[in-house]
Amino acid sequence: MELCIIGSGYVGLVSGACFAEVGHRVICVDNDRRKVDSLQAGKIPIFEPGLEEIVHRNVAARRLRFSDSIEDGVDQSQVVFIAVPTPPQPDGSVDLSFIEKVAREIAKVLKPGEYRVVVDKSTVPVKTGEKVTETIKRYNTGADFDVVSNPEFLREGCAVADLMKPDRIVIGGNSDRALALMKKVYEPFNAPILVTDVNSAELIKHAANSFLALKISYINAVSAICEASGADVEKVADGIGMDKRIGRHFLNASLGYGGSCFPKDIAAFIAISDQIGVPFPLLKEVQRINADQKDRFIKRIREALWVLREKRICVWGLTFKPDTDDVRCSVPIDLVNDLVKEGAIVTAYDPKGMEKARELNLVPGVKLADSALEAVDGAEALILATEWKEFACIDMEEVKRRMHTPLVFDGRNFFDPATMAGFGFTYRAIGRPVLSAKCG
Ligand code: UDX
């Protein structure tokens, strides 16, 4: 099939590449000409495992191309996906101006008698599909089209795998003609398809992300109780996660969730529910627990080091999660800045995130080291902030030798406490008993 994706950001680019990979002919449209040129030349603006190969392969096979013209994309395609940003406004509600603008631009180029399915893939508040439909009709009374909602559930760091093998595909539509075409688009993926009305599909995305964030905040709240009572949150998570109704996924206690989706989507869902007159205070508590988690972690560092001023602290990890170079809304970045504010001398290392952190000036006053080992030189404490696999392969004896004092704070429960104590570290994790050095 011929498909067009408007917006070549995270969702648009990965979706476009994966649609091409299964055999569709795809045009990815973006209004940034420089981005279009560099994508066409094979340069991928984000680090996402497997993406570069798929883009190169499909551009070479002429199944994937890039354009800065919506008219070009809409003319050539049966199905037109909208994947433009829906950023948060200061009050948490969603800024839909990019969606509205694209709807107007699509309206301008729709030709009478040429039916198109317009699919919203961006994360949008419930009832946005109705607004997109009204807008297209207002700007082009003769247009022959249907609007469908098809939320995307990909995770950064495994976006290609998530798209190629999704748990489910949600298609919200109110027209059989549009739904039949959408099923054809997704046929090659062999994944379960849930068909709903447009409003339900839109709501599924915010409800799913908010539930996942709630699950993380739940275990994080439990981790605080574990710390106060001497229990081990990992054991507790295993114990409750073995109940099939609960499941072990997303029960990893941490510094808190971050990234470009959860914080934004929860704030949006709170704003949406307020707007429609059904407030959702539970989600405000989720936000509070999340903020508290980082603050409690810093409090524990302060308790151990007494005063943070002039303390040399090494932080491993800057990205909001591993296998991505994304440093947007990253809890590790906030943590580093809080430490610097208290006068600590921070050296950080991240396998992929340092370039963007530097470019965006996200960690001013922080030394960025060339390697994980270099970063620990002379440190009075080591903080593991992002669980990159690379950190599991580092010679911890060498780390201990290089550190001034062998204190480790693990913000992701990444290391094995007994092994760390065996190396001679005093080891503190999230919601786990403190283990002190067995030797050294
Ligand atoms: C999320 C959703 O998972 C995805 O379906 C949606 O499309 C976009 O938002 P993403 O933000 O890429 O994906 O990453 P995810 O793996 O969900 O992690 C989000 C945050 O939660 C990260 O900061 C991660 O470290 C944190 N997290 C995750 C935990 O703290 N504990 C967990 O158990 C799981």
Side-chain angles (χ1 to χ4, degrees):
M1 290 176 79
E2 276 75 34
L3 311 178
C4 152
I5 323 266
I6 301 173
S8 300
Y10 226 107
V11 168
L13 179 59
V14 185
S15 306
C18 291
F19 283 143
E21 180 73 0
V22 298
H24 298 307
R25 271 182 302 281
V26 182
I27 305 171
C28 283
V29 176
D30 203 283
N31 60 4
D32 180 346
R33 182 72 238 176
R34 272 193 314 186
K35 189 178 197 177
V36 168
D37 289 341
S38 89
L39 281 165
Q40 196 61 41
K43 285 199 202 97
I44 312 297
I46 48 174
F47 169 73
E48 186 61 43
L51 180 61
E52 195 164 354
E53 294 86 318
I54 291 201
V55 171
H56 289 176
R57 186 162 56 239
N58 286 284
V59 168
R62 296 180 182 275
R63 280 192 301 266
L64 177 64
R65 70 178 174 90
F66 300 92
S67 167
D68 65 352
S69 158
I70 288 188
E71 182 162 20
D72 176 21
V74 173
D75 262 0
Q76 310 291 320
S77 314
Q78 296 157 278
V79 182
V80 178
F81 289 85
I82 304 176
V84 294
T86 50
Q89 311 207 78
D91 67 353
S93 64
V94 183
D95 175 358
L96 290 168
S97 53
F98 296 108
I99 299 266
E100 192 269 347
K101 186 160 178 267
V102 168
R104 275 186 285 130
E105 285 171 354
I106 292 173
K108 260 193 256 158
V109 298
L110 283 173
K111 304 209 165 82
E114 289 187 17
Y115 176 75
R116 296 288 181 266
V117 182
V118 177
V119 186
D120 182 24
K121 219 177 212 329
S122 305
T123 301
V124 292
V126 59
K127 294 175 106 56
T128 300
E130 290 175 8
K131 294 275 179 213
V132 171
T133 307
E134 280 168 24
T135 304
I136 297 179
K137 279 190 181 150
R138 193 165 346 116
Y139 286 89
N140 185 341
T141 42
D144 186 13
F145 72 101
D146 281 304
V147 169
V148 162
S149 165
N150 170 221
E152 184 45 64
F153 301 99
L154 63 81
R155 289 163 299 170
E156 293 185 24
C158 44
V160 171
D162 280 352
L163 255 151
M164 296 304 290
K165 271 209 137 318
D167 285 352
R168 82 308 205 180
I169 290 154
V170 174
I171 303 174
N174 304 333
S175 122
D176 290 343
R177 190 177 180 190
L179 289 171
L181 278 169
M182 287 302 289
K183 283 185 189 159
K184 251 180 96 184
V185 170
Y186 279 107
E187 212 168 60
F189 293 91
N190 269 325
I193 295 180
L194 177 74
V195 174
T196 71
D197 57 284
V198 176
N199 288 345
S200 302
E202 289 169 340
L203 207 58
I204 284 170
K205 178 64 195 268
H206 276 120
N209 272 0
S210 299
F211 186 80
L212 290 169
L214 181 141
K215 205 171 171 188
I216 298 168
S217 279
Y218 183 85
I219 201 66
N220 280 341
V222 171
S223 78
I225 298 171
C226 289
E227 278 162 29
S229 61
D232 184 340
V233 74
E234 292 299 314
K235 298 269 163 25
V236 176
D238 289 345
I240 58 179
M242 282 167 82
D243 183 329
K244 284 200 191 75
R245 293 170 300 175
I246 298 173
R248 182 63 175 83
H249 295 298
F250 274 66
L251 280 182
N252 298 319
S254 66
L255 288 170
Y257 61 77
S260 58
C261 289
F262 285 173
K264 165 176 104 89
D265 289 353
I266 283 152
F269 206 20
I270 290 171
I272 293 160
S273 48
D274 280 345
Q275 263 164 23
I276 58 178
V278 192
F280 205 157
L282 177 64
L283 296 184
K284 293 198 173 142
E285 192 54 18
V286 169
Q287 289 179 317
R288 191 200 60 76
I289 294 168
N290 201 52
D292 194 45
Q293 198 66 2
K294 173 188 59 90
D295 294 345
R296 209 162 37 79
F297 189 73
I298 294 179
K299 192 167 155 238
R300 292 177 70 213
I301 300 172
R302 215 182 281 121
E303 276 162 11
L305 293 177
W306 188 14
V307 185
L308 295 186
R309 177 162 294 283
E310 291 176 9
K311 293 284 152 53
R312 305 184 76 83
I313 299 180
C314 163
V315 178
W316 280 355
L318 290 173
T319 52
F320 82 100
K321 63 184 277 190
D323 296 324
T324 175
D325 60 353
D326 199 345
V327 282
R328 290 174 296 172
C329 295
S330 163
V331 180
I333 296 262
D334 292 345
L335 170 85
V336 162
N337 286 321
D338 285 356
L339 295 172
V340 169
K341 247 182 249 147
E342 288 206 34
I345 304 158
V346 180
T347 303
Y349 169 77
D350 186 283
K352 293 278 179 212
M354 293 195 293
E355 206 178 306
K356 286 203 171 144
R358 205 180 279 126
E359 247 171 57
L360 302 169
N361 195 26
L362 291 181
V363 281
V366 171
K367 184 178 169 219
L368 298 176
D370 288 332
S371 72
L373 274 181
E374 186 194 304
V376 293
D377 276 339
E380 287 153 89
L382 162 64
I383 298 174
L384 185 293
T386 314
E387 67 277 35
W388 284 93
K389 279 196 203 85
E390 175 179 326
F391 299 139
C393 308
I394 290 170
D395 176 355
M396 293 309 285
E397 275 176 6
E398 177 62 13
V399 169
K400 186 174 167 246
R401 263 194 301 277
R402 287 179 180 233
M403 288 180 75
H404 184 270
T405 34
L407 252 185
V408 174
F409 296 88
D410 185 345
R412 301 283 171 177
N413 292 355
F414 181 69
F415 294 115
D416 173 56
T419 310
M420 293 301 277
F423 281 126
F425 292 103
T426 295
Y427 175 76
R428 288 174 167 82
I430 306 264
R432 311 193 81 174
V434 179
L435 279 196
S436 291
K438 283 184 188 141
C439 58

